[in-house]
Amino acid sequence: MNLEKIKSEVVGCTKCGLCKTRKNAVPGKGSPKSDIVFVGEAPGGTEDERGEPFVGSAGKRLTEALEKNGLSRDSVYITNVVKCRPPGNRVPTEEERAMCMQYLEAELDAIGPKVVCVLGNTASSSVLGQADITKNRGKMVEKNGRKYFLTFHPAAVIYNQKLAAVFEGDIATLAKIVRGI
Ligand code: URA
Ligand code: SF4
C-alpha cells in the first residue's frame, strides 16, 4: 500500500475508540524515500488540532536535534504508534496500540527505511516488546529483518538538560550510522 492510501485510511479510521474523541487523525508525514522513520507514542493536543505529527513542543525538540545533524523534517519520515490523540494525553492502551499497528507496519513496508528510530518507552514496548529505554537507548536492535535504533522520547528531555544532551548525542549517532549503511 502506498503512503497516500495509508494516509486516507488513517484519516477515516474508526477501528478503535480514539476516533470518537479526536479532532483529527494524525498520519505519518515526511519523505516516502526516507532512510529514517521516527516513531513516537501518539499525537498530543497540537498534533490533534493540526493533523500533523510532532508539531508541538516535543516536535520542536525533535526538529532541533535533526537540524543540528543536517537532517530536515522533510527529508525524514515522522509517525506514531497510535494515530489519534488519547484523551488528556494518557498512554494509549494495549488494545488501541494493537488496533493501530497495521498502519505503522504499512508505513514501514511502503518506505523501507534503513533504520527505524524508536522514541521512548511506549514506542519501544509496542514495536520491540522492550520498555527500559534508559538502559537500551543509543543501541541498534534487529527484529524481523528491520533495524531499529532506540532513544528517549523528545518530550522526556524538555525540562532536563542532561537528558537533552544525551538525546541530541543519540540523534547524532543515528545520523552517523545511517550515513554508513
Ligand atoms: N508526542 C508523540 O509521541 N507524538 C507526537 O506526534 C507528538 C508528541
Ligand atoms: Fe484508527 Fe489508530 Fe485512530 Fe484507533 S488510533 S481510530 S486504530 S487510526
Side-chain angles (χ1 to χ4, degrees):
M1 215 192 301
N2 69 33
L3 288 175
E4 283 308 313
K5 173 94 173 94
I6 299 164
K7 185 174 172 180
S8 72
E9 290 204 3
V10 165
V11 166
C13 181
T14 55
K15 286 204 323 165
C16 87
L18 295 180
C19 72
K20 295 190 198 127
T21 46
R22 75 183 178 215
K23 282 189 183 140
N24 291 292
V26 180
K29 191 160 190 272
S31 167
K33 294 187 207 139
S34 178
D35 288 339
I36 314 172
V37 171
F38 290 89
V39 183
E41 176 175 312
T46 316
E47 290 77 19
D48 182 52
E49 289 285 343
R50 292 190 28 197
E52 286 183 35
F54 280 99
V55 287
S57 51
K60 190 161 174 274
R61 266 303 144 106
L62 178 60
T63 306
E64 284 166 3
L66 292 177
E67 287 175 353
K68 280 186 188 169
N69 290 287
L71 298 165
S72 69
R73 278 180 69 104
D74 290 345
S75 73
V76 300
Y77 188 87
I78 302 174
T79 192
N80 285 295
V81 170
V82 159
K83 311 304 196 220
C84 302
R85 183 198 187 193
N89 296 342
R90 65 164 170 74
V91 176
T93 65
E94 291 290 340
E95 191 191 348
E96 289 157 357
R97 299 183 213 185
M99 294 306 265
C100 213
M101 192 51 78
Q102 70 167 96
Y103 299 122
L104 177 60
E105 291 287 353
E107 288 172 303
L108 297 180
D109 282 345
I111 297 166
K114 289 180 178 172
V115 180
V116 180
C117 181
V118 169
L119 300 166
N121 271 323
T122 300
S124 174
S125 64
S126 307
V127 175
L128 298 170
Q130 58 181 50
D132 195 348
I133 202 74
T134 306
K135 191 174 114 216
N136 295 316
R137 54 139 288 279
K139 293 183 188 149
M140 292 285 295
V141 174
E142 278 209 43
K143 192 183 171 194
N144 299 334
R146 277 200 187 109
K147 290 188 172 70
Y148 297 87
F149 181 84
L150 290 84
T151 189
F152 292 123
H153 191 288
V157 311
I158 289 175
Y159 299 109
N160 186 324
Q161 279 307 314
K162 266 192 203 151
L163 289 194
V166 176
F167 175 70
E168 289 192 1
D170 282 351
I171 299 298
T173 302
L174 169 66
K176 216 177 290 166
I177 289 170
V178 168
R179 273 184 226 115
I181 292 178

